[in-house]
């Protein structure tokens, strides 16, 4: 694609708007990105978008940022990637900066703190809803090893207070080794 | 040096949060509440509530919130850069490898191993928030008088509504904020 100011501006505008209107984060951003970059602008093929989604999902960090990096890179190289990151990061940066300022000023207000206390129960419910759905996905596959890893990781973190990073590194390495072993022997443990 | 600490903390959060959405939550809690004490558990829960109600990924929202809270706007910017940097480098490398190999068994295997782990870690972080909600900052205890009945009722109702009707989560949070807020203000 041509590295013209117009294209950079369009890329910035698109990523900024996508980020500003994506509530709930994560997977929601992919269909919206497809709509913008494949259907409306015609800058990417549908299959490219699917590859980008797969890679964004396989990398650490926020999926919206990862996808933006890949789209920007693919369209306009390194400078495109930087513009996309900027467009994606600016909306939450601006919104949360404003909220933080209000938060520090208002947290001690009686009404605000009562409402936030009520909201804690709501956000607990939202987290447990996510956990139930995700755990359901693990249980459905009826494999012993993932269930053991789920239980083990929970005990390690909640009861034994093992650092999260160690748990993630350990389980990630274990998963990779078992998958490689399974591919050689034609088994499926995970 | 506070800026360096913020940068390193959010760099780790960005580097180790696999799985999207709430996967970053346990890591943020670990760095921000447990290790550095930048936020109390209550403030952290407020942050998760705010993140769920505003656009943008939890990690970026947290970087801005914590950064502003601890070191003003420069703090917010440095935390955000720290948070974005590792995944930017990683995803670029992956894109390059992907073109060469197409299918990367090691990465797929690592992700398969992480899926149940992420569930466990979100559950663990969620449980500490639930204990705070129901029993308060002093933590779990057996006595029935230490339980907050309003919080229990709101949690059970909220979870039931979410499972049964699958509404937008924002509605559940606003609903429990309004009803809970009214109860806490009006009930003796």
């Amino acid at each position: 694609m041509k590295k013209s100011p117009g294209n950079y501006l369009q890329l910035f505008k698109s990523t900024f708007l996508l980020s500003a209107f994506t509530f709930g984060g994560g997977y929601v951003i992919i269909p919206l990105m497809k709509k913008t970059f494949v259907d409306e602008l015609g800058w990417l093929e549908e299959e490219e978008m699917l590859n980008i989604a797969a890679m964004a999902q396989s990398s650490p960090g926020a999926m919206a940022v990862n996808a933006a990096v890949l789209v920007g890179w693919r369209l306009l190289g390194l400078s495109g990637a930087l513009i996309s990151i900027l467009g994606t990061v600016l909306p939450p940066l601006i919104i949360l900066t404003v909220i933080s300022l209000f938060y520090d000023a208002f947290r001690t207000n009686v009404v605000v703190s009562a409402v936030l206390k009520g909201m804690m129960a709501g956000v607990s419910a939202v987290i447990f809803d996510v956990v139930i759905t995700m755990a359901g996905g693990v249980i459905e596959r009826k494999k012993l090893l993932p269930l053991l890893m789920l239980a083990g990781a929970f005990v390690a973190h909640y009861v034994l207070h093992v650092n999260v990073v160690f748990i993630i590194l350990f389980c990630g390495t274990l998963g990779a080794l078992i998958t490689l072993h399974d591919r050689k022997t034609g088994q499926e443990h995970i | 040096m506070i800026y360096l600490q913020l940068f390193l903390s959010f760099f780790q959060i960005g580097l180790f949060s696999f799985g999207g959405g709430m996967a970053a939550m346990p890591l943020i809690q670990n760095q921000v509440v447990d290790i550095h004490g930048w936020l109390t558990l209550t403030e952290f829960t407020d942050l998760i509530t705010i993140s769920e109600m505003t656009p943008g990924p939890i990690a970026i929202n947290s970087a801005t919130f914590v950064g502003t809270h601890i070191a003003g706007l420069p703090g917010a910017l440095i935390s955000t850069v720290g948070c974005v940097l590792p995944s930017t480098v990683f995803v670029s490398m992956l894109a390059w490898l992907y073109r060469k190999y197409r299918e990367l068994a090691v990465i797929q295997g690592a992700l398969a191993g992480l899926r149940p782990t992420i569930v466990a870690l979100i559950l663990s972080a969620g449980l500490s928030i639930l204990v705070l909600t129901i029993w308060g900052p002093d933590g779990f205890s057996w006595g029935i008088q230490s339980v907050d009945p309003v919080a229990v009722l709101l949690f059970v109702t909220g979870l039931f509504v979410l499972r049964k009707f699958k509404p937008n989560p924002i509605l559940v949070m606003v609903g429990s904020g309004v009803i809970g807020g009214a109860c806490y203000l009006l009930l003796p």
Side-chain angles (χ1 to χ4, degrees):
Chain A
M1 211 163 86
K2 219 176 120 227
K3 296 196 176 192
S4 66
N7 282 341
Y8 280 109
L9 194 66
Q10 181 65 53
L11 182 62
F12 178 76
K13 210 177 94 186
S14 302
T15 46
F16 187 91
L17 289 176
L18 277 167
S19 176
F21 293 105
T22 310
F23 289 82
Y27 309 111
V28 188
I29 195 114
I30 296 298
L32 291 172
M33 277 190 145
K34 181 200 162 279
K35 199 164 164 269
T36 305
F37 293 110
V38 179
D39 302 342
E40 283 166 20
L41 294 169
W43 282 358
L44 293 171
E45 299 292 324
E46 177 138 13
E47 202 199 316
E48 277 177 306
M49 198 62 232
L50 288 176
N51 281 340
I52 284 173
M55 283 187 276
Q57 221 173 333
S58 313
S59 303
M63 204 169 155
V65 177
N66 294 346
V69 171
L70 291 168
V71 168
W73 200 282
R74 160 72 183 75
L75 293 172
L76 291 161
L78 180 61
S79 49
L82 293 175
I83 289 285
S84 304
I85 297 175
L86 196 65
T88 307
V89 163
L90 269 184
L93 193 67
I94 294 167
I95 294 168
L96 261 286
T97 302
V98 174
I99 289 179
S100 310
L101 299 176
F102 280 108
Y103 177 83
D104 289 339
F106 286 120
R107 187 59 174 96
T108 44
N109 179 293
V110 187
V111 178
V112 173
S113 73
V115 171
L116 279 172
K117 203 175 162 199
M119 279 184 158
M120 280 173 70
V123 83
S124 304
V126 171
I127 296 169
F128 275 82
D129 179 48
V130 170
V131 169
I132 292 170
T133 306
M134 289 177 80
V138 175
I139 293 167
E140 248 174 34
R141 301 188 59 232
K142 294 197 178 96
K143 294 242 155 52
L144 181 64
L145 201 66
L147 290 174
L148 286 177
M149 286 171 91
L150 200 162
F154 177 77
V155 172
H157 187 238
Y158 196 78
V159 183
L160 305 174
H161 302 288
V162 178
N163 192 318
V164 190
V165 172
F166 289 126
I167 301 176
I168 289 176
L169 284 176
F170 179 79
C171 293
T173 312
L174 190 65
L177 291 176
I178 292 170
T179 306
L180 288 177
H181 178 262
D182 280 358
R183 294 238 165 154
K184 265 187 205 147
T185 54
Q187 291 168 298
E188 209 177 316
H189 285 104
I190 282 192
Chain B
M1 171 86 176
I2 191 68
Y3 293 123
L4 187 65
Q5 275 184 347
L6 279 171
F7 178 82
L8 289 176
S9 284
F10 279 95
F11 189 87
Q12 286 184 52
I13 292 167
L15 185 60
F16 293 110
S17 55
F18 283 88
M22 280 192 182
M25 189 177 70
L27 282 153
I28 299 167
Q29 189 191 20
N30 180 46
Q31 284 290 331
V32 168
V33 181
D34 302 341
I35 296 180
H36 293 290
W38 286 326
L39 300 181
T40 64
L41 190 55
T42 308
E43 288 169 327
F44 173 73
T45 310
D46 289 346
L47 167 60
I48 299 298
T49 311
I50 294 167
S51 291
E52 286 292 297
M53 295 181 62
T54 52
I58 286 187
I60 308 286
N61 288 344
S62 304
T64 309
F65 187 87
V66 176
T68 310
H69 196 79
I70 299 299
L73 189 60
L77 293 174
I78 285 171
S79 308
T80 305
V81 171
C83 185
V84 169
L85 196 59
S87 62
T88 304
V89 174
F90 193 99
V91 84
S92 308
M93 271 166 41
L94 189 63
W96 182 74
L97 285 174
Y98 203 79
R99 236 170 268 163
K100 284 179 89 171
Y101 300 108
R102 278 282 155 186
E103 203 192 9
L104 294 165
V106 184
I107 289 177
Q108 285 177 355
L111 287 172
L114 284 175
R115 222 162 284 135
T117 313
I118 299 303
V119 182
L121 295 178
I122 298 175
L123 171 64
S124 177
L127 211 52
S128 59
I129 289 177
L130 185 65
V131 168
L132 174 72
T133 308
I134 292 178
W135 281 278
D138 295 335
F140 173 80
S141 63
W142 289 106
I144 187 83
Q145 67 278 5
S146 57
V147 169
D148 177 349
V150 176
V152 174
L153 209 67
L154 285 173
F155 172 73
V156 173
T157 316
L159 190 58
F160 174 78
V161 169
L162 281 164
R163 296 307 301 172
K164 178 98 182 158
F165 304 107
K166 314 219 175 295
N168 187 328
I170 295 176
L171 287 177
V172 172
M173 284 185 287
V174 171
S176 80
V178 171
I179 298 167
C183 290
Y184 290 126
L185 287 173
L186 301 176
L187 297 177

